[in-house]
Amino acid sequence: MSAHTTQTELKFLGKLILEGDLHCETGLHVGAGKGSLEIGGSDNPVVKDAFGHPYVPGSSLRGKLRSLLEQSSGLAVPSELVYLSKRKGQEVRIHQSDRPDDEICLLFGRNPGRMERVAGESMESPQATPARLAVYDAPLHLDSITPQMRENLDDELTEVKSENAIDRITSQANPRTLERVPAGARFRVRLVMDVLCEEDAPLFSRVLEALRMLEDDSLGGGGSRGSGRVRFSGMKLTWRGKNYYATGAAQKELGAGLDLAALQTGFQEAAFSFLREE
């Protein structure tokens, strides 16, 4: 857990900005729901922007990072989970606590009020905690879908993967289709973490940890069936202190053109010196 206490004072110090590329190692499916189906289209289309280009919603990437950190911290257990929704068949459970040093709540925010735990007594959180981490929608690099790839795609920018679910008793096949962004596509990712006190800086190590875990997990739907394997490259980390915004002071580059492992090592070795130089 972090060094935050109930006496920790929040005072904006700056922002850590992480940018880079997300590569699709296998087809990627981040679903748009079934309300946008077209005649002859896929049963499960991917989400697209107003120009018809696939993108990775920031909410999808942020939610996956949160889930991975909850699991790695041992917090994805009934006594640590609360209900966001109890609608039958659409239950949503996330971790939340009232501990001031809870890194998940510090990174992703905490809502005040009464919340029902999955197991145990309801929790009454007296105050809100501002979220430090923002994850933005990741647009597609259109040139990553090469002319050679387009010749073999079902649509201009996407492929359709056909699958069969087999009834274990009758052996009857139930075909389904899944629209995916093809392997080889790249998206531009951007994450920003607010540093509201010196105790916040180590939280960024948890962000890097979650991104590295994601490379050995999956993003989007169909992960257990081969979809959603991704990796990150060309990562650039920048520190913009409060004087960058107040007086036009220069930003500080903490690493550029790196993979996550190198970035993680460099960030740890820097020992938060960027805070002292502000």
Side-chain angles (χ1 to χ4, degrees):
M1 293 295 179
S2 75
H4 290 76
T5 69
T6 54
Q7 282 75 45
T8 299
E9 294 185 3
L10 302 186
K11 183 179 180 181
F12 178 72
L13 300 180
K15 293 176 180 281
L16 285 164
I17 300 172
L18 180 64
E19 298 173 298
D21 287 338
L22 180 152
H23 296 253
C24 296
E25 298 287 280
T26 63
L28 174 68
H29 173 80
V30 179
K34 298 187 178 182
S36 58
L37 282 178
E38 299 177 358
I39 296 175
S42 168
D43 296 336
N44 298 286
V46 298
V47 63
K48 298 181 178 74
D49 62 20
F51 299 98
H53 301 154
Y55 70 99
V56 177
S59 57
S60 297
L61 181 54
R62 189 176 187 269
K64 184 65 179 185
L65 297 179
R66 177 173 185 152
S67 174
L68 289 170
L69 285 177
E70 288 174 351
Q71 293 175 26
S72 70
S73 303
L75 299 174
V77 295
S79 61
E80 290 285 349
L81 299 177
V82 299
Y83 283 105
L84 285 187
S85 170
K86 292 191 69 177
R87 185 180 302 174
K88 188 174 182 180
Q90 298 180 353
E91 294 88 352
V92 179
R93 309 171 184 88
I94 66 167
H95 165 72
Q96 186 163 312
S97 79
D98 55 3
R99 298 187 293 271
D101 60 351
D102 190 316
E103 293 177 338
I104 303 298
C105 293
L106 291 168
L107 270 174
F108 298 97
R110 175 170 24 214
N111 294 323
R114 185 179 180 84
M115 305 194 77
E116 183 178 346
R117 294 186 190 275
V118 174
E121 297 182 358
S122 296
M123 183 187 73
E124 188 76 36
S125 184
Q127 59 185 0
T129 298
R132 271 62 165 182
L133 182 64
V135 183
Y136 294 89
D137 292 347
L140 175 70
H141 284 288
L142 290 176
D143 60 359
S144 67
I145 310 294
T146 65
Q148 181 181 6
M149 292 168 64
R150 291 173 191 252
E151 291 178 2
N152 299 295
L153 294 177
D154 300 280
D155 197 359
E156 182 183 2
L157 299 172
T158 60
E159 64 186 8
V160 175
K161 180 187 179 187
S162 297
E163 301 177 336
N164 270 318
I166 306 298
D167 185 275
R168 295 332 190 238
I169 304 300
T170 66
S171 296
Q172 180 178 350
N174 179 24
R176 62 192 177 202
T177 56
L178 191 72
E179 186 180 24
R180 306 194 306 179
V181 180
R186 290 181 291 112
F187 295 87
R188 186 68 177 174
V189 297
R190 177 181 172 90
L191 298 84
V192 177
M193 195 189 89
D194 290 345
V195 179
L196 305 181
C197 57
E198 290 190 9
E199 291 87 344
D200 279 352
L203 294 174
F204 193 73
S205 296
R206 301 303 310 273
V207 177
L208 297 175
E209 175 190 345
L211 289 169
R212 293 198 67 186
M213 285 192 291
L214 178 55
E215 291 187 325
D216 286 327
D217 205 279
S218 63
L219 179 64
S224 63
R225 306 192 301 275
S227 299
R229 183 184 172 197
V230 300
R231 67 177 174 87
F232 297 90
S233 72
M235 306 305 285
K236 177 183 177 181
L237 180 61
T238 304
W239 167 251
R240 293 177 176 173
K242 62 181 179 180
N243 287 333
Y244 171 90
Y245 302 98
T247 64
Q251 63 184 17
K252 181 176 178 59
E253 188 175 285
L254 303 181
L258 304 175
D259 60 18
L260 288 175
L263 184 62
Q264 190 177 43
T265 299
F267 184 75
Q268 293 170 347
E269 291 177 348
F272 319 125
S273 58
F274 55 89
L275 290 177
R276 296 187 290 274
E277 295 171 2
E278 178 62 23

